[in-house]
């Protein structure tokens, strides 16, 4: 074991902060993380073994037990379900004679679900050993089962299965950009840090990750922060952990606009005085790693990365890429920093904020992929140009990831202020009854709200725009989101860990026809508790989709309710049906309750 591990440990400098990357590398070598490997890693890094196992057990894509040599994960996002992903998974399980969530007896294959693969515009989709397959159909599923049974290596599967398209439908200030790599950096160097901050202030750029914090304030705070310890360092972190179901714009920016992303990181680094940038890439996009690393290598050769950027002595900036391992909560900036430091992705208590105490205790700017692209645009064109786009409070443009019941799903770029109705018209959503904006944690708009506008002052969004036609059941949409939050809760705080599970249970009870007004009231109570007492935004927003659909699509709930009074979720008498059939006994004494006894006595 030590012989296998030591080269991996050495490649990461024996740094405990690289624990997550080391675990990923060891799992690549062994297919999973056996107990002996965890012990050896703990010994090599001089960490408590409980710390190593705690990290390994936190992330969905790390495995403490063997999985199939072909590990198939179907995307369980609601838009994939609307395209028939559940039926396709059942079809694959039947073809392979395997039960969902279990490994086949010979260890060949395992089939399960994952929250969202970021392929909502070309679903249904799945991952096989981490690689995304798009546009699934019954015929493609049958062929996949044959390939698995024949033990064909993934490299020999039809290339078409792995095709991922950008689906750029509407371009504006960002997506129309085509300029040489490094132009934004050269513009930022020519301006100088203080002037660049002034341009950022003039632009009024707000973060595109959802919170909408003013980017200039964040950058200036990190630049002025004193830092920790004798050796002050500053960092720029690009948050590419695009885990919100329904969002896939960062995937497109990283695959087709990577130089713009890296230019934006470099501009941020030059402005705040950082020497290093870290790109945190969600594990579902691991297939982008070779191209991204090749891009970084080209930039080093061209003097756009490393020492003396653009030939300017003393201006040094390097970028590393860290891979996530399947944890939605790591989209929160402080949880992402914990993950970058090789820990469980649990959000930190704030203050202090990352701009003063961030990565490894040093001043750190964490920006979304799209935000950094916009910063690169501002470096070239200036803040006044950017402020002339969009609205006064929401300057610039916004990328929308549109999926669901539309004719042309994909990426649409609009100046802020566009109406929801205009977006629906452009993407061909003729019979929409609802739009979920900004993913499950965002807002659900009914038809009477389609005149509202995409902007921080009206309908803010991180980018997801999921459309639901008049034939969709909004209760099932909300139920899918409730299970998503219950699955993705990091478990750190009790209100979120327990509350999200209780909401999911209530939704299941209503779906099973055993719900009542009592359960609706319970959901409202839990919503208030989660909003007030959760440790981070995940718990605080977990009930948003249920709360919204209860208020705007209440008939979808009420037609499932059995009564206005409490109804138990579990029917003990019904549960004993199988036992009665096996024993051949169905007399009155074999039933619970008067009504049940009467039923049991019936001829």
């Amino acid at each position: 074991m030590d012989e296998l591990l030591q080269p991996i440990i050495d490649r990461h400098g024996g740094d405990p902060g690289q624990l997550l990357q080391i675990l990923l590398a060891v799992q690549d070598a062994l297919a999973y993380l056996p107990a002996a490997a965890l012990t050896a890693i703990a010994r090599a890094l001089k960490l408590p073994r409980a710390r190593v196992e705690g990290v390994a057990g936190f992330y969905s894509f790390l495995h403490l037990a063997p999985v199939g040599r072909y590990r198939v994960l179907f995307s369980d996002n609601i838009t994939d379900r609307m395209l028939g992903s559940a039926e396709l998974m059942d079809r694959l399980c039947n073809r392979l004679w395997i039960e969902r969530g279990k490994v086949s007896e010979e260890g060949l294959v395992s089939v399960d679900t994952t929250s969202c693969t970021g392929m909502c515009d070309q679903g249904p989709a799945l991952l096989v050993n981490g690689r995304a397959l798009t546009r699934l159909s019954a015929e493609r599923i049958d062929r996949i089962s044959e390939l698995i049974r024949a033990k064909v290596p993934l490299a020999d599967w039809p290339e078409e299965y792995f095709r991922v398209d950008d689906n750029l439908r509407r371009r504006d200030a960002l997506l129309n950009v085509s300029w040489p790599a490094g132009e934004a950096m050269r513009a930022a160097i020519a301006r100088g840090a203080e002037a660049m901050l002034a341009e950022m202030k003039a632009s009024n750029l707000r973060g595109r990750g959802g919170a909408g914090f003013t980017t200039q304030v964040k950058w200036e705070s990190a630049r002025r922060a004193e830092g920790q310890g004798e050796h002050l360092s500053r960092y720029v972190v690009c948050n590419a952990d695009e885990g919100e179901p329904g969002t896939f714009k960062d995937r497109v920016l990283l695959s087709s606009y990577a130089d713009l992303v890296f230019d934006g990181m470099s501009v941020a680094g030059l402005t705040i005085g950082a020497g290093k940038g870290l790109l945190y890439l969600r594990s579902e996009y691991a297939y982008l790693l070779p191209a991204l690393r090749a891009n970084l290598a080209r930039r080093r050769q061209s003097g756009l990365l490393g020492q003396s950027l653009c030939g300017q002595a003393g201006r040094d900036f390097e970028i590393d890429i860290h891979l996530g391992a399947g944890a939605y909560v790591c989209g929160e900036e402080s949880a992402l920093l914990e993950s970058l430091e090789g820990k469980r992705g649990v959000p930190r208590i704030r203050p202090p904020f990352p701009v003063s105490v961030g990565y490894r205790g040093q001043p750190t700017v964490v920006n979304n992929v799209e935000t950094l692209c916009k910063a690169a645009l501002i470096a070239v064109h200036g803040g006044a140009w950017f402020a002339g786009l969009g609205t006064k409070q929401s300057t610039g443009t916004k990328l929308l990831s549109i999926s669901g019941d539309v004719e042309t799903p994909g990426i649409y770029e609009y100046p802020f202020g566009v109406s929801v109705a205009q977006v629906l018209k452009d993407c061909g959503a003729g019979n929409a009854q609802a739009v979920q904006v900004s993913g499950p944690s965002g807002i659900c708009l009914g038809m009477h709200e389609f005149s509202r506008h995409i902007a921080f002052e009206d309908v803010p969004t991180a980018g997801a725009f999921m459309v639901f036609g008049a034939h969709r059941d909004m209760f099932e949409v909300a139920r899918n989101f409730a299970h998503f939050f219950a699955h993705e809760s990091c478990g750190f705080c009790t209100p979120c860990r327990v509350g999200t599970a209780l909401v999911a249970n209530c939704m299941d009870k209503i779906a099973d026809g055993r719900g009542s007004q009592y359960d609706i009231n319970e959901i409202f109570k839990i919503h208030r508790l989660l909003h007030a007492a959760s440790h981070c935004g995940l718990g605080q927003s977990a009930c948003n989709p249920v709360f919204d659909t209860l208020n705007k699509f209440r008939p979808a709930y009420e037609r499932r309710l059995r009564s206005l009074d409490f109804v138990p979720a579990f029917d003990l008498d019904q549960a004993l049906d199988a036992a009665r059939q096996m024993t051949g006994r169905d007399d009155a004494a074999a039933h619970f309750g008067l009504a049940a006894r009467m039923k049991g006595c019936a001829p």
Side-chain angles (χ1 to χ4, degrees):
M1 184 64 73
D2 288 337
E3 291 180 2
L4 183 146
L5 291 180
Q6 200 55 51
I8 296 173
I9 299 288
D10 292 343
R11 194 162 66 241
H12 291 87
D15 180 4
Q18 295 289 315
L19 175 58
L20 178 56
Q21 306 307 307
I22 291 170
L23 289 169
L24 285 166
V26 172
Q27 180 169 275
D28 280 345
L30 299 175
Y32 77 109
L33 295 169
L38 299 182
T39 302
I41 291 171
R43 185 170 56 244
L45 297 179
K46 297 182 173 55
L47 289 173
R49 191 186 183 284
R51 157 87 184 276
V52 175
E53 185 164 352
V55 173
F58 181 82
Y59 296 92
S60 296
F61 289 173
L62 294 179
H63 316 300
L64 299 178
V67 294
R69 295 200 291 281
Y70 293 88
R71 185 170 190 248
V72 182
L73 294 173
F74 279 81
S75 180
D76 199 32
N77 180 29
I78 185 64
T79 57
D80 287 270
R81 284 196 165 218
M82 287 157 54
L83 293 168
S85 62
E87 293 77 12
L88 292 174
M89 185 171 73
D90 289 342
R91 187 182 185 97
L92 183 63
C93 288
N94 291 335
R95 294 274 172 172
L96 293 171
W97 289 78
I98 186 174
E99 190 176 344
R100 172 189 164 178
K102 295 186 177 179
V103 183
S104 60
E105 290 184 3
E106 74 280 28
L108 179 64
V109 60
S110 56
V111 179
D112 210 333
T113 59
T114 187
S115 294
C116 181
T117 56
M119 303 289 167
C120 311
D121 56 332
Q122 44 210 301
L126 58 75
L127 301 174
V128 178
N129 296 350
R131 292 196 60 185
L133 278 76
T134 60
R135 303 176 191 79
L136 298 176
S137 63
E139 294 74 21
R140 191 165 286 193
I141 286 293
D142 293 347
R143 180 61 183 141
I144 289 172
S145 70
E146 293 169 2
L147 292 168
I148 291 174
R149 282 183 176 279
K151 303 177 184 176
V152 176
L154 278 186
D156 296 331
W157 286 27
E159 192 174 335
E160 171 69 14
Y161 289 11
F162 302 98
R163 199 186 88 212
V164 178
D165 294 330
D166 282 352
N167 289 327
L168 294 173
R169 308 296 189 184
R170 189 184 190 281
R171 300 169 189 256
D172 209 288
L174 172 57
L175 298 181
N176 272 328
V177 165
S178 177
W179 67 50
E183 187 170 340
M185 292 171 52
R186 284 185 278 272
I189 290 172
R191 290 181 192 279
E194 292 296 337
M196 189 63 221
L197 278 176
E199 293 298 331
M200 294 296 292
K201 185 176 183 179
S203 74
N204 194 28
L205 172 65
R206 298 174 67 172
R208 283 0 188 198
F213 197 77
T214 305
T215 306
Q216 172 265 332
V217 173
K218 188 179 280 190
W219 286 19
E220 185 155 20
S221 299
R223 178 174 171 80
R224 311 292 183 214
E226 295 181 354
Q228 306 288 320
E230 296 180 358
H231 304 289
L232 171 63
S233 300
R234 292 187 175 85
Y235 296 94
V236 173
V237 172
C238 176
N239 184 349
D241 192 47
E242 186 178 46
E244 194 79 43
T247 309
F248 46 86
K249 62 184 176 62
D250 291 353
R251 183 200 80 212
V252 175
L253 292 175
L254 290 166
S255 61
S256 298
Y257 295 82
D259 266 318
L260 199 59
V261 179
F262 293 140
D263 265 11
M265 292 180 68
S266 303
V267 168
L270 290 165
T271 304
I272 71 168
K276 190 161 188 176
L278 302 161
L279 188 148
Y280 188 95
L281 184 69
R282 73 181 300 219
S283 50
E284 289 85 347
Y285 296 163
Y287 74 97
L288 295 174
L289 266 177
L292 290 172
R293 285 175 173 156
N295 186 301
L296 292 178
R298 285 196 301 274
R299 292 176 73 89
R300 289 189 191 97
Q301 291 175 355
S302 304
L304 300 178
L305 210 58
Q307 296 181 338
S308 303
L309 295 183
C310 302
Q312 300 284 316
R315 297 185 184 279
D316 306 334
F317 191 70
E318 186 52 77
I319 295 177
D320 284 343
I321 301 175
H322 285 235
L323 193 61
Y328 165 76
V329 72
C330 288
E332 197 275 343
E333 64 175 3
S334 67
L336 183 147
L337 294 175
E338 290 285 295
S339 184
L340 277 174
E341 293 177 1
K343 305 172 189 171
R344 296 160 66 95
V346 176
R348 297 174 179 174
I349 295 173
R350 297 180 295 178
F353 294 98
V355 289
S356 54
V357 182
Y359 179 65
R360 302 200 178 204
Q362 301 295 340
T364 303
V365 159
V366 182
N367 280 140
N368 169 269
V369 173
E370 185 183 349
T371 308
L372 291 165
C373 289
K374 298 291 170 58
L377 293 183
I378 293 165
V380 174
H381 296 296
W385 166 82
F386 191 82
L389 305 171
T391 69
K392 186 175 181 180
Q393 296 181 47
S394 308
T395 57
T397 62
K398 186 74 192 82
L399 300 189
L400 299 178
S401 311
I402 299 182
S403 61
D405 293 317
V406 300
E407 293 177 3
T408 50
I411 302 296
Y412 292 70
E413 182 184 15
Y414 291 96
F416 268 121
V418 65
S419 71
V420 173
Q422 182 64 52
V423 177
L424 292 172
K425 179 182 177 184
D426 292 348
C427 66
N431 70 338
Q433 67 164 327
V435 180
Q436 185 72 28
V437 181
S438 205
S441 62
I443 180 172
C444 182
L445 301 176
M447 289 181 65
H448 64 288
E449 298 172 289
F450 288 173
S451 60
R452 295 180 66 177
H453 299 85
I454 300 295
F456 290 107
E457 59 268 36
D458 191 359
V459 182
T461 177
F465 194 96
M466 291 187 280
V467 181
F468 302 100
H471 57 297
R472 300 297 180 188
D473 184 344
M474 294 308 297
F475 170 83
E476 284 299 336
V477 172
R479 186 179 169 216
N480 176 273
F481 292 160
H483 277 274
F484 167 76
F485 283 116
H487 178 263
E488 295 294 346
S489 173
C490 75
F492 172 79
C493 71
T494 303
C496 179
R497 182 179 65 251
V498 177
T500 53
L502 289 175
V503 171
N505 290 343
C506 282
M507 296 295 280
D508 285 346
K509 183 181 174 186
I510 295 172
D512 292 341
R514 305 192 62 78
S516 67
Q517 184 60 44
Y518 173 88
D519 300 290
I520 301 293
N521 296 340
E522 284 298 296
I523 289 175
F524 276 99
K525 287 180 186 175
I526 297 169
H527 168 71
R528 289 192 291 272
L529 175 67
L530 279 171
H531 194 72
S534 292
H535 174 63
C536 75
L538 189 152
Q540 292 162 11
S541 59
C543 277
N544 286 356
V546 178
F547 190 71
D548 274 351
T549 50
L550 262 170
N551 283 329
K552 299 171 184 177
F553 303 94
R554 200 174 182 91
Y557 287 77
E558 290 180 338
R559 64 172 171 261
R560 288 179 163 85
L561 302 184
R562 176 180 287 190
S563 73
L564 295 178
D565 300 320
F566 175 78
V567 177
F570 181 72
D571 186 334
L572 180 57
D573 189 71
Q574 186 179 12
L576 290 172
D577 266 354
R580 284 191 289 267
Q581 291 176 16
M582 292 173 66
T583 58
R585 180 184 173 188
D586 197 16
D587 56 89
H591 287 265
F592 285 86
L594 178 61
R597 289 194 181 94
M598 294 297 291
K599 178 184 175 184
C601 291

